[in-house]
Amino acid sequence: MAAEPRRRIEVAAAVLHDAAGRFLLAQRPTGKAFEGYWEFPGGKVEPGESAAIAMCRELHEELGIHVDADDVYPWLTRDFEYPHAAVRLRFFRIYRWRGELHGREGQRFAWQCTTAPDVSPILPANGPILRALALPDCYGITQAAAVGVEAFLQHLDAALTRGLKLIQVREKAMAAGELHQFAAQVVDRARPYGARVLINGDAQLARAIGADGVHLTSAQLLALNERPACEWVAASCHNREEITAATRLGADFVVVGPVAPTPTHPGAAVLGWGGFAQCIADTTLPVYALGGMQVADLSKARQQGAHGIAMLRGAWV
């Protein structure tokens, strides 16, 4: 007879961000399972309690800080099987709180850089979370065909100077030779700034020019059975089925939209913020909101569960 599945324990976990862009890890105290391991602070969701409210309660109990429920942004959900328990981890991102952090249970805590956490060991459930935290808030999509290559490269240089760290080369109107040359120029300009470049729909081109990965169209996503051989793989999604396919494929993140009307696709059906939030609820993958986005929409996107925003025009102004 097959063993009955274990009851999954609901856990709320906090990703606290400070003004320097770092995140907080806390060390599990002596006497608890995995004592000495580092983790994101949080704890069990009590019966009748929402995960967001549990998050606020746990942060006060563990670290002595006060967080308003409106400042608790849903992010990723991850199921994990520990030897001692099956857990469903609901991660929230938090940028504002009141009070000074202190370990009320005697635990140590440490602020970490997204590029190179320097504490160990870290709980095994958190590996994908650390990789997701390496992704920036904004994803810029090129529009050289609309403004001209030289003009766009000037916009790109300015955006890189302002701090843009993730770029998708998406130029479907370009001939193959022109695209190869343009994409190589984008990679060359991005490298000194530590920015990553993904190529839309062409993993072979991405590898040929030393780009960081490929961004799959939704049609490519549904046709593939295995992840492309690239360091970073993203995908365009419009519904839950496509997000599930991206998860199964092992994509690193997805772009979901359109959230709002855009000049590129006038009259196209849009999700709206409510539809967007419903579409991405409980996803295990970081999601960028696409469609009519401006930098000012980042907070709204986070409130709906997005990792960040993807912009065609807004990234270059």
Side-chain angles (χ1 to χ4, degrees):
M1 180 182 296
E4 295 221 2
R6 295 187 290 178
R7 183 179 67 86
R8 198 165 290 282
I9 299 170
E10 294 275 335
V11 175
V15 183
L16 276 77
H17 296 269
D18 70 1
R22 301 176 301 175
F23 64 91
L24 190 77
L25 289 178
Q27 191 173 38
R28 291 180 65 81
T30 302
K32 288 191 175 183
F34 287 92
E35 66 178 62
Y37 276 70
W38 292 82
E39 65 178 351
F40 295 95
K44 295 178 184 177
V45 179
E46 300 294 342
E49 187 178 47
S50 72
I53 294 300
M55 189 78 277
C56 298
R57 174 182 55 75
E58 287 285 348
L59 289 174
H60 180 62
E61 292 174 0
E62 288 189 18
L63 298 175
I65 59 174
H66 297 272
V67 179
D68 294 331
D70 289 345
D71 292 325
V72 176
Y73 298 152
W75 187 39
L76 305 181
T77 299
R78 177 160 165 72
D79 289 348
F80 197 81
E81 306 291 332
Y82 284 108
H84 67 287
V87 297
R88 173 160 293 149
L89 295 155
R90 298 188 183 277
F91 289 89
F92 296 87
R93 302 182 85 178
I94 297 168
Y95 298 84
R96 294 193 301 180
W97 59 86
R98 302 186 304 281
E100 294 295 323
L101 291 162
H102 59 281
R104 299 182 74 177
E105 299 177 353
Q107 75 274 38
R108 296 167 60 201
F109 57 87
W111 290 103
Q112 300 292 293
C113 294
T114 56
T115 52
D118 60 6
V119 296
S120 65
I122 295 174
L123 278 180
N126 293 324
I129 304 303
L130 296 175
R131 183 167 173 82
L133 285 172
L135 292 167
D137 297 328
C138 295
Y139 187 22
I141 304 170
T142 65
Q143 55 166 179
V147 301
V149 169
E150 291 306 318
F152 177 79
L153 290 174
Q154 292 179 20
H155 293 319
L156 172 64
D157 290 340
L160 289 166
T161 302
R162 292 193 299 267
L164 184 67
K165 295 294 185 183
L166 187 61
I167 301 157
Q168 178 192 159
V169 175
R170 183 181 182 275
E171 299 292 343
K172 296 190 175 183
M174 281 188 181
E178 184 184 9
L179 177 60
H180 189 289
Q181 182 179 12
F182 171 73
Q185 288 178 291
V186 174
V187 170
D188 288 345
R189 280 169 152 82
R191 283 289 172 264
Y193 294 91
R196 295 187 179 95
V197 179
L198 277 63
I199 307 300
N200 181 273
D202 194 335
Q204 183 176 355
L205 175 58
R207 291 189 291 269
I209 63 171
D212 299 278
V214 63
H215 185 109
L216 303 171
T217 67
S218 57
Q220 288 175 322
L221 169 65
L222 296 176
L224 287 173
N225 294 316
E226 61 181 30
R227 176 188 165 106
C230 293
E231 181 184 0
W232 290 89
V233 175
S236 292
C237 298
H238 309 90
N239 52 51
R240 194 74 186 189
E241 177 189 4
E242 292 172 355
I243 295 174
T244 300
T247 305
R248 189 182 305 117
L249 191 69
D252 295 294
F253 66 93
V254 297
V255 170
V256 173
V259 176
T262 67
T264 310
H265 299 96
V270 298
L271 291 168
W273 283 119
F276 174 83
Q278 184 176 12
C279 182
I280 73 167
D282 292 333
T283 181
T284 63
L285 297 178
V287 177
Y288 288 86
L290 174 70
M293 295 295 104
Q294 300 292 329
V295 173
D297 294 310
L298 178 57
S299 180
K300 182 68 173 179
R302 286 172 174 165
Q303 290 170 7
Q304 313 310 312
H307 178 89
I309 53 177
M311 298 178 288
L312 182 64
R313 295 168 183 80
W316 317 113
V317 295

